[in-house]
Every structure is written in structure tokens, then in C-alpha cells.
């Protein structure tokens, strides 16, 4: 999707946004934005005044003045609507290209008796079993239960190189709309129609499921309160003006109100939020909620899973290493025995290596065996043979406990040999037959490139990185060092990952978690920001509130930057908007009252042509500032990786002081132009 980012001024998007700006005039829609709704009511009243100048009491102003105020107000509302429509339009364009991916296909449903029935993909339900052959489109989201295939996921990730997906382990999930390019698989459907990953993606980028974030709601409330206060101020101005025998017309009062209420931020607020979400999508990250993106902007701690997140996760058996006086062939056979029924990628790689070395084990010998599947909880897998023989392999510390329970002894060279593998960054698995440890399997994995520099950037931003892994402390230490994370937690079970997150949260910190495995799912759900790798399992993706389509754990950096930028943009434009309103106050009030109160002369620094010209100039400025700020709302304020407080101070100065000065210049220029025109 990265290459589908649209330029700000794509012709089609702009013309659609213009049409939508008018559609959004519907009061039922406007009501959601109280500040602009007040402007719309003002527009309506001045429309009446344009025809019936005396509709609300005697009037001294010309029909032309009423019409001018009406038109400027109308454009103010339209400009605000346009900003929102433009932001929405850009999301919709992304959704449209995704929707093209989503087409009905024929699915080969495997029935109870094993026969195949062809059905439309829209008829598939959760739990259905489907066969997908070479060149077929995968009809729905699911988990592979049989086979291995290379899959072209470019429709979703934009990445053209196919990925290998296989039954068992962390690489078994497939996404509807992607295509099998070699081999065939049998999969179990995991989503009902309309609820697939692609459906969610479309409604996300389209903004259909967008909800206001808590921050946005708080700001909207604040702006509404400000608006009400100014309403009261304007109403109380009337008797005051009467007393001073200054005639304030209804159109002038409305214009004054609109100039004083925070229309700039009110008009741009929702566009800022939508544009922030669009920017996340352009980085190939799917954010399920704006809240998560904003939370990313404030993250203190980042917890990462090792296998599949920091490393590629295709852990392969590289070597069998016997311990004590066990022969190489006995060890190889035991490794094979422990893995024939292990469907994880690790298990399959062990079987493959054993076969390469020449080990054979007849199928009938294990046909009746009891299978002990691998779990993250036991950190072991293996078989119980009918004769009573138990075969296990697993994490060294887990196997040691298992052997102790069987009254076995620990070979004296086990720790040293396991340490050797671990210090090289590999994962040692110990293999046992009954109460005897025969040796170690060396599982190799590769750290993804470029992590060190990116983690250093996180450190510079004051974010702590913690690697949390089920692997042993030595391997963890080696990988932690190679990847450049600040801390690590080893031998972590799923509940330990959650505990690590809760511990940080208890200290008032915002925590991000990145992971890919089913064992990461609970932690991804617990974290304030849960970023799942697209290569990971459905469980992980469902628990997370963001998915990285490129499966790059450092992508969070970009999301953090976007989150911070979103918060800063909103803060800056709010400051600018309110500073503007203060400046407008000083432009208009002296101009209105100067005849009745000559003492105001000292405040009349702008020397505008006439009270009416002052009002119209301020109102025009108030309207045009909205479209002028659309580029900042859309692209975000300039963001630099610097200390948050310094950034805030700098922006408050820039947008606060600028916000006071710009209107003085702008209004004066408009006033001069009006004076020459009229
Ligand atoms: N198929 C398997 N059979 C037996 N033991 C295994 C198997 N796969 C992994 N193990 C052992 O169990 C440990 C825990 O595995 P788990 O998948 O929970 O975490 P991990 O993949 O090592 O780390 P991470 O949590 O970073 O992904 C591994 O470190 C390894 O020692
Ligand atoms: K205003
Ligand atoms: Mg993992």
C-alpha cells in the first residue's frame, strides 16, 4: 500500500471533496462538530437577513453587508467540511484499491466424508475446511492445517516476494485475497463473511469505523465550552452597546461571535485525526484505532518478543551434539524420534536434518505413539511409545526438571555444550529417552538486519526496549546484545510477558508490545500499543491493535513519530487558533466602539478603514485561514526526534506568538484591499 499514497491535490479526490463539503452541510452531520454547527446556525440567520434585513429588529446596515457576512460564513463552514472530506477522500482511495483485491472466488470445501464441493467464497463460515491449490486465491482468512505453500501476499503487503506458510507453528496463518503460487494447502477458515482481515482493513482505511479518540473528545468538549462562553459574552455586549448608543446589528454580532470562537481548530480537528491514521497506513501499518496511534506518541517502554520478531523466526536445526559417551547415531535417532510428530517448523527441520544424515525410523514403530505436542507452557514436545518408552525434547531447563522428576542424572558436559550453542545466539534443545539425556539439538536463527541503529533511535527518544523470550538466558543475552535492546527477560512463559507489561504500566508507563506468536497474543492485548507482525498467527493479529504488514519490529518507530506528530499538530493548531481569536478581538472591538469611546484609541493599533470593514476583514481572515492550514493538518507539523518538552515549548512559541501576529497582518492587508475595492 505504500506506493498508493495520493498527492494532496489529486484531482479526483479534490472534486469529490468539494461535492462532499456541500453534503456535509446537513445539520444532522454538522451537529457532531458543535463549533462549526454554531457557525452554520449563524449562516442561516444571515441568509434570512439578506432577504429581510429587519427580520430581527430595526437595522442600519445595507443588504450588501448582510449578504457579504452570509457568504463569508457559508464559506467558513464549507472550508471546514472540505478539510474533513479531503482527509476522508484520501483514505477512501486507499480502500478502493484494496476492494479490487476482494473478489468472490470459488472455494473447494472439504466435506465430512472427505469429498470436495465447490462453493462461493462468500458462503464460507468459521471452522470450514478448504483445500487451496496452486494459483488459487485463498478464499478467506484461516490457519493451514496440512501442507506447505509459497504465497503471494502482494495484494495486501505490496511486497512481491512470496512467503512460505506452513501448518503448525507461528507461520500457519493465511489471509483471504492472497494467492498460492506453489504447492497446495488444506486450511481451516477462521473468519465469517464480512469480518475478514481484508474487510477490516478496508473499513479502517476508509474511516468507516473511525471513532473519536479520548483526546479528541476532551478537546471538542473544551472548544464547545469556549464557544458557549463567547456566546454569553456576545449576548451581554448588546445592552452595553445600547448604553453607549452604539448600534450592533445582528449580522455584526454573529460575525463577532464567529471570529471569537475557535473555528480554526474546530474546522480542522477531525481532518488532523483522519490524516494521522492515513499516514500510519502509508507506512504499511494497520491501526485498529486512533487511540492506539496517539498512545504510540507517548510510549515509554517497548517490549519485543525474540523469535519471529527480533529474529526471522525460521529456527532451523543445524547440528546434533551428543553428550557424555552417547554415539552420534544414537543422538541423531533420538532427535528424529522426538520430532517425527512435531508439526512446528523447528520439529520439521529436525526431521529433515536427521534424514539428511541418514537416520531412519519406521513408521509402524511410532504409529501407536501418544503425541506430546509442543506448548509454550511446557517448552517441550515428544512421544510416549506403547512399550512405555518416553521421548522428549525441549528447552534445557525444562528438560532438566523433567529428568529430575524421572530420577535421572544430568550429564556433566550438558551445561557447557548448551552454553556454547547459546553464546553463539542459537537455541539448544535437550533430547531425552526415558530418564537419560542423549544430547543437544542446535537450532539456528538470524537476527533481522538494521535493528541496532533503530533501537538506538528509540533510546535517544527516551524509550526503553526490553526483549522478552521463552528462550534460555544465555541465548537471550547473545541475541539481546546483537540486536541492541536495553534489557531482556528470558525463559518467559506467556503470563510472564503480560506480567512484564503490567509491571511497567503499574509505574504509570505506556507500554508497546511487538510480537508474532500465539504465545504473544495475551501480552499484545494487555499492552497500550500492541503491534503484531503480519507474518504471525491470527491470534496475535486479532489481539493486537496494530499490524505491521512488513513484519518489521522497528516499524513502531515510525508509528511513534506519527503519534507524536499527531498530538503536536493538534496542540499547535489549537494554540494557533486560540491566539488568532485573541488577535481578532483586538482588531474588532476598538473599531466597533471607537466612535463612542474615544479612549479606546490607544488600543486601536490597526487603524482599520471602518467598523464594517474591520468586521468583514476579520471574518474573511477567519474563513481563509482554514484552507490555508489544511496542508499542515494533513501532513502534520514538522517533527524532529527531540525531547518532547522542548518540542512542545518550541511549538507553543511558534504557533502561539505566530497565532497572535499573523491575524494583525492578515486582517490589515484584507482591510486595505477592501478599502480600494469599495
Ligand atoms: N518444537 C519444539 N519442541 C520442543 N521445544 C521447543 C520447540 N520449540 C521451541 N522449544 C523450546 O521452547 C522454548 C520456548 O518457545 P516459545 O516459542 O515459547 O518461545 P521462543 O520462540 O523461544 O521465544 P519468543 O517468545 O521470543 O518467540 C524455546 O526457547 C525452545 O527452547
Ligand atoms: K474563530
Ligand atoms: Mg515468537
Amino acid at each position: 500500500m505504500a506506493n498508493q499514497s495520493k498527492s494532496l491535490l489529486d484531482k479526483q479526490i479534490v472534486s469529490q471533496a468539494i461535492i462532499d463539503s456541500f453534503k456535509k452541510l446537513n445539520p444532522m452531520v454538522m451537529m457532531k462538530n458543535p463549533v462549526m454547527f454554531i457557525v452554520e446556525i449563524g449562516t442561516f440567520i444571515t441568509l434570512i437577513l439578506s432577504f429581510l434585513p429587519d427580520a430581527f429588529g430595526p437595522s442600519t446596515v445595507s443588504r450588501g453587508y448582510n449578504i457579504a457576512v452570509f457568504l463569508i460564513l457559508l464559506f467558513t463552514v464549507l472550508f471546514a467540511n472540505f478539510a474533513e472530506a479531503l482527509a476522508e477522500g484520501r483514505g477512501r482511495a486507499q480502500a478502493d484499491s484494496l476492494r479490487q483485491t476482494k473478489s468472490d472466488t470459488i472455494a473447494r470445501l472439504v466435506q465430512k466424508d472427505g469429498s470436495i464441493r465447490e462453493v462461493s467464497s462468500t458462503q464460507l463460515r468459521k471452522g470450514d475446511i478448504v483445500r487451496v491449490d496452486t494459483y488459487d486465491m485463498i478464499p478467506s482468512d484461516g490457519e493451514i492445517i496440512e501442507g506447505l505453500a509459497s504465497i503471494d501476499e502482494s495484494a495486501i503487503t505490496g511486497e512481491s516476494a512470496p512467503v512460505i506458510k506452513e501448518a503448525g507453528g507461528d507461520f500457519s496463518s493465511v489471509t483471504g485475497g492472497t494467492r498460492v503460487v506453489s504447492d497446495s494447502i488444506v486450511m481451516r477458515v477462521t473468519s465469517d463473511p464480512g469480518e475478514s482481515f481484508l474487510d477490516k482493513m478496508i473499513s479502517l482505511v476508509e474511516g468507516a469505523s473511525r471513532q473519536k479518540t479520548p483526546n479528541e473528545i476532551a478537546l471538542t468538549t473544551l472548544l464547545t465550552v469556549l464557544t458557549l462562553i463567547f456566546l454569553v459574552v456576545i449576548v451581554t455586549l448588546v445592552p452595553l452597546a445600547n448604553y453607549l448608543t452604539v448600534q450592533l446589528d445582528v449580522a455584526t454580532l454573529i460575525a463577532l461571535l464567529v471570529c471569537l470562537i475557535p473555528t480554526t481548530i474546530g474546522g480542522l480537528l477531525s481532518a488532523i485525526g483522519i490524516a494521522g491514521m492515513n499516514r500510519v497506513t502509508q507506512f504499511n501499518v494497520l491501526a485498529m484505532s486512533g487511540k492506539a496511534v496517539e498512545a504510540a506518541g507517548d510510549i515509554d517502554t517497548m517490549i519485543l518478543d525474540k523469535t519471529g520478531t527480533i529474529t526471522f523466526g525460521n529456527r532451523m536445526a543445524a547440528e546434533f551434539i551428543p553428550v557424555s559417551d552417547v554415539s552420534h547415531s544414537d543422538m541423531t535417532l533420538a532427535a528424529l524420534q522426538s520430532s517425527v510428530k512435531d508439526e512446528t517448523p523447528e520439529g520439521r527441520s529436525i526431521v529433515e536434518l536427521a534424514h539428511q544424515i541418514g537416520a531412519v525410523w519406521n513408521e509402524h514403530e511410532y504409529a501407536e505413539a501418544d503425541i506430546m505436542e509442543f506448548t509454550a507452557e511446557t517448552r517441550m514436545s515428544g512421544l510416549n511409545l506403547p512399550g512405555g518408552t518416553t521421548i522428549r525434547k525441549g528447552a534445557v531447563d525444562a528438560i532438566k526438571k523433567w529428568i529430575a522428576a524421572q530420577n535421572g542424572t544430568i550429564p556433566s558436559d550438558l551445561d557447557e555444550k548448551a552454553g556454547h550453542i547459546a553464546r553463539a545466539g542459537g537455541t539448544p534443545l535437550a533430547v531425552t529417552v526415558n530418564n537419560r539425556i542423549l544430547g543437544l539439538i542446535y537450532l539456528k536463527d538470524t537476527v533481522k538486519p538494521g535493528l541496532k541503529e533503530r533501537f538506538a533511535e528509540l533510546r535517544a527518544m527516551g524509550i526503553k526496549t526490553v526483549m522478552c523470550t521463552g528462550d534460555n538466558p544465555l541465548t537471550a543475552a547473545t541475541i539481546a546484545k546483537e540486536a541492541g535492546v536495553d534489557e531482556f527477560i528470558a525463559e518467559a512463559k506467556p503470563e510472564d510477558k503480560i506480567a512484564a507489561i503490567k509491571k511497567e504500566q503499574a509505574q504509570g508507563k505506556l507500554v508497546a508490545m511487538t510480537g508474532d506468536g500465539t504465545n504473544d497474543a495475551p501480552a499484545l492485548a494487555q499492552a497500550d500499543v500492541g503491534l503484531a507482525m503480519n507474518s504471525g498467527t491470527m491470534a496475535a493479529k486479532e489481539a493486537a491493535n496494530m499490524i505491521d504488514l512488513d513484519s518489521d519490529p522497528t516499524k513502531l518507530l515510525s508509528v511513534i513519530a506519527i503519534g507524536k506528530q499527531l498530538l503536536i499538530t493538534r496542540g499547535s493548531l489549537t494554540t494557533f487558533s486560540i491566539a488568532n481569536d485573541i488577535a481578532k478581538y483586538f482588531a474588532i472591538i476598538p473599531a466597533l466602539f471607537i466612535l463612542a469611546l474615544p479612549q479606546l484609541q490607544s488600543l486601536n493599533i490597526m487603524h482599520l478603514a471602518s467598523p464594517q470593514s474591520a468586521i468583514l476583514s476579520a471574518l474573511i481572515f477567519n474563513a481563509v485561514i482554514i484552507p490555508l492550514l489544511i496542508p499542515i493538518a494533513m501532513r502534520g507539523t514538522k517533527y524532529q526526534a527531540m525531547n518532547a518538552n522542548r518540542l512542545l515549548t518550541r511549538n507553543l512559541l511558534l504557533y502561539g506568538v505566530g497565532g497572535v501576529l499573523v491575524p494583525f497582518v492578515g486582517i490589515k492587508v484584507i482591510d486595505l484591499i477592501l478599502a480600494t475595492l469599495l
Side-chain angles (χ1 to χ4, degrees), residues 388-429:
T389 306
T390 57
I391 304 169
R392 292 287 184 280
K393 69 161 188 295
V396 176
D397 70 305
I399 289 290
K400 277 183 173 172
K401 282 194 199 116
W402 160 259
I403 283 293
Q406 322 275 316
N407 297 318
T409 51
I410 311 289
S412 55
D413 55 345
L414 181 75
D415 281 342
E416 187 222 309
K417 285 182 171 159
H420 195 72
I421 297 171
R423 272 188 293 274
T427 300
L429 292 187

Side-chain angles (χ1 to χ4, degrees), residues 170 305 307 516-517 519-520:
D170 287 355
D305 146 78
T307 313
D516 72 321
N519 62 341
D520 299 321

Side-chain angles (χ1 to χ4, degrees), residues 53 101 107 164 170 181 223 227 305 324 367 374 433 467 481 507 543 560 613-614 622 649:
T101 311
I164 304 285
D170 287 355
V181 286
L223 297 180
T227 304
D305 146 78
S324 61
F374 168 73
V433 176
M467 183 181 88
K481 189 155 174 261
Q507 297 167 17
I560 288 172
S613 165
N622 188 62
T649 319

Side-chain angles (χ1 to χ4, degrees), residues 258-263 581 584 622:
V258 170
C259 281
L260 295 186
I261 65 178
T263 46
D581 296 340
K584 272 172 258 170
N622 188 62

